[in-house]
Amino acid sequence: MKISVIGTGYVGLVSGVCFAQMGNSVTCVDIDTNKIEKLKQGIIPIYEPGLEDMTLENYKKGTLSFTTNASEALGNSAIAFIAVGTPMGEDGSADLQYVLAVAKTIGQSMKKYMVIVDKSTVPVGTADKVKAAIQAELDKRGESIEFDVVSNPEFLKEGAAIQDFLHPDRVVIGAESEKAMDIMRELYAPFMKHHDRFIAMDIKSAEMTKYAANAMLATKISFMNEMSQICERVGADINRVRNGIGSDSRIGYSFIYPGCGYGGSCFPKDVQALAKTAKDFGYNPRILDAVEAVNYDQKYVMSNKVIARFGENLDGKTFAVWGLSFKPETDDMREASSITIINELTRRGAKVVAYDPKAIHEAQTHYLKGNDRVSYVESKYEALKGADALILVTEWQEFRSPDFDEMKKLLTNAVFFDGRNQFKKEKMHANGFEYFQIGVN
């Protein structure tokens, strides 16, 4: 099939590359000329395991191309994916200006029947707005061209997006016509050779499914983080509690690890957008509001532990930070807990020496830009030299089995704040560390 993917951000690029991998002819479109030129040169704007190699492979084969000319790409396509950003507005709602701008372009450019797919995470009712925007442009042209708008929410995990796309646990499609549904079923058939995980539904239910899924996962995280706060106060150990409840098959172990709070491009934005939608329709989403409030507070837990140990005035103190990205296997720092932790320490006079395998550039150029009390190093041990304590924020694999003797040699004080509860308290004390965890007194 000939496919256009409008938007070469995280979702758009991964989707386009994976569709090309299955033999489709895919054109990725973006208004950012610099980004498109870099993609043509094999320079990938994001870090995602396997994405660079697969992009280069399909670009060389000719199944994948990049352009800024949306009209040309759309004129030759049977399916157009809208995969542009939906940033959070000041009131928490999803900003649809980019989605509707693409819809307008599609209406100006389409020459034959098309399936237009909302791949961006959008509120319930967006498909109707996209359909109206396209139809308005066709009316201006005096054209009567049939089209269908479909909702196909993405469920990609950053750090495992290629695997998730090639081997999906479900493909959710919301459509009004059997014709559009059949086309989408054919498009995704190569991804389901062994198991049919195609879930067909109405458009609004598909739009809602994405928000409900992310809200549920965020709820599990905030619930466990709230339990960790109770555990600390009553003298229980959240790690043991997690084992105790996770063994229940109705609960399971996924997303019940205590930590510094969730971040990234999805959970914070989607929880707030869903809450805003609920309020717009006259419902007070008490659970969603609580999930967001708990997460906000959780991002301050680790910095508060440091302040409780070293005092409010941190002048002359230096802290090593391991991990900047909001999760491992990505360079994404959007809404990352590390930002809050580092800013809370540096505004009290501390210096921070940070290490992350992939996210240092993002920190320097965007999220911690201008904070001259933060420096960056190229290895985890280099960050420890002369530091008063270590703060582990992101659970990258290379932090799982460090050399504790080497750490003690490099640190001024053998003080370790573990924001991901990676080690057993008894083991760390035996190794001579003053060791702080979340949810453990």
Side-chain angles (χ1 to χ4, degrees):
M1 292 187 183
K2 291 187 176 181
I3 302 169
S4 290
V5 179
I6 315 299
T8 59
Y10 188 86
V11 173
L13 187 56
V14 170
S15 299
V17 169
C18 288
F19 282 130
Q21 182 72 9
M22 292 300 174
N24 296 288
S25 177
V26 179
T27 303
C28 289
V29 183
D30 204 292
I31 60 173
D32 188 334
T33 303
N34 185 50
K35 182 189 284 188
I36 290 296
E37 288 305 313
K38 285 185 175 179
L39 284 167
K40 289 179 178 178
Q41 297 167 25
I43 302 172
I44 311 301
I46 57 174
Y47 173 73
E48 178 64 36
L51 180 59
E52 182 175 355
D53 290 344
M54 196 174 289
T55 301
L56 293 171
E57 175 190 341
N58 284 282
Y59 184 67
K60 289 176 181 177
K61 285 195 301 187
T63 54
L64 180 66
S65 61
F66 302 100
T67 185
T68 56
N69 191 332
S71 296
E72 182 179 331
L74 290 164
N76 295 320
S77 297
I79 305 174
F81 281 84
I82 301 176
V84 292
T86 52
M88 185 168 58
E90 291 183 5
D91 61 355
S93 62
D95 186 345
L96 297 178
Q97 63 172 311
Y98 304 114
V99 170
L100 297 178
V102 173
K104 184 177 179 180
T105 300
I106 292 171
Q108 294 167 348
S109 307
M110 62 189 297
K111 298 177 181 178
K112 57 185 179 182
Y113 172 80
M114 289 183 71
V115 175
I116 294 92
V117 184
D118 280 336
K119 197 68 173 170
S120 302
T121 300
V122 293
V124 176
T126 299
D128 293 337
K129 295 178 181 180
V130 168
K131 185 175 182 179
I134 294 170
Q135 189 60 55
E137 294 303 317
L138 289 173
D139 292 344
K140 288 179 186 178
R141 292 168 55 192
E143 296 281 2
S144 180
I145 303 174
E146 184 186 0
F147 67 94
D148 280 299
V149 177
V150 166
S151 175
N152 174 210
E154 56 85 15
F155 300 99
L156 306 177
K157 299 186 294 292
E158 291 193 42
I162 297 294
Q163 179 73 10
D164 287 348
F165 203 105
L166 296 178
H167 306 282
D169 52 14
R170 81 277 209 197
V171 172
V172 173
I173 302 293
E176 292 179 336
S177 77
E178 283 301 317
K179 181 178 181 179
M181 191 68 79
D182 288 343
I183 289 172
M184 295 303 292
R185 198 182 297 275
E186 180 183 351
L187 175 64
Y188 277 104
F191 300 92
M192 302 184 193
K193 287 298 184 183
H194 302 293
H195 301 282
D196 185 3
R197 302 182 185 276
F198 192 94
I199 303 174
M201 59 182 71
D202 62 278
I203 292 174
K204 288 186 177 180
S205 295
E207 291 172 330
M208 185 66 181
T209 296
K210 169 66 174 181
Y211 281 106
N214 279 351
M216 172 59 81
L217 297 175
T219 299
K220 292 185 74 173
I221 294 170
S222 280
F223 175 83
M224 208 60 189
N225 282 333
E226 184 156 279
M227 291 303 102
S228 76
Q229 294 304 304
I230 298 172
C231 282
E232 281 197 32
R233 286 157 177 79
V234 303
D237 185 331
I238 190 63
N239 300 309
R240 291 171 177 170
V241 172
R242 177 179 62 80
N243 285 330
I245 66 173
S247 59
D248 186 329
S249 61
R250 297 169 300 173
I251 298 172
Y253 290 102
S254 297
F255 286 84
I256 64 166
Y257 288 82
C260 304
Y262 60 74
S265 63
C266 295
F267 289 5
K269 177 171 67 74
D270 292 354
V271 170
Q272 292 182 51
L274 183 55
K276 177 63 167 58
T277 296
K279 292 169 185 174
D280 288 345
F281 281 82
Y283 180 75
N284 180 26
R286 289 165 292 178
I287 291 176
L288 295 178
D289 285 344
V291 167
E292 182 61 22
V294 169
N295 191 62
Y296 177 86
D297 290 344
Q298 195 70 16
K299 292 186 177 183
Y300 290 87
V301 167
M302 195 50 58
S303 57
N304 287 340
K305 287 180 180 291
V306 175
I307 294 162
R309 167 62 175 79
F310 287 95
E312 187 71 31
N313 183 353
L314 298 176
D315 277 333
K317 300 296 183 184
T318 298
F319 297 100
V321 169
W322 282 2
L324 295 167
S325 57
F326 86 94
K327 62 179 284 188
E329 300 301 328
T330 180
D331 60 354
D332 194 344
M333 282 187 64
R334 284 173 285 186
E335 303 287 337
S337 303
S338 62
I339 301 169
T340 301
I341 293 167
I342 289 171
N343 285 336
E344 284 298 299
L345 299 181
T346 56
R347 76 184 186 88
R348 289 172 170 82
K351 291 183 179 180
V352 168
V353 182
Y355 168 71
D356 186 284
K358 296 295 179 183
I360 288 176
H361 178 73
E362 290 295 304
Q364 290 174 317
T365 57
H366 296 291
Y367 300 99
L368 294 169
K369 183 180 180 181
N371 191 335
D372 58 7
R373 302 194 72 81
V374 184
S375 58
Y376 305 91
V377 292
E378 296 299 317
S379 77
K380 61 180 182 284
Y381 294 123
E382 189 179 353
L384 303 180
K385 293 177 182 177
D388 292 281
L390 165 64
I391 306 165
L392 191 154
V393 182
T394 313
E395 64 276 32
W396 286 91
Q397 286 187 5
E398 68 173 276
F399 301 150
R400 291 183 182 177
S401 298
D403 184 331
F404 295 118
D405 290 333
E406 183 68 14
M407 290 168 63
K408 284 191 293 184
K409 288 178 185 176
L410 295 169
L411 287 164
T412 299
N413 305 296
V415 182
F416 188 171
F417 296 90
D418 185 353
R420 297 298 172 182
N421 290 13
Q422 294 225 128
F423 307 103
K424 292 186 181 297
K425 180 174 67 173
E426 296 78 12
K427 177 182 178 180
M428 297 306 296
H429 288 166
N431 275 307
F433 281 89
E434 189 178 348
Y435 184 62
F436 299 86
Q437 288 183 303
I438 289 174
V440 181
N441 204 331

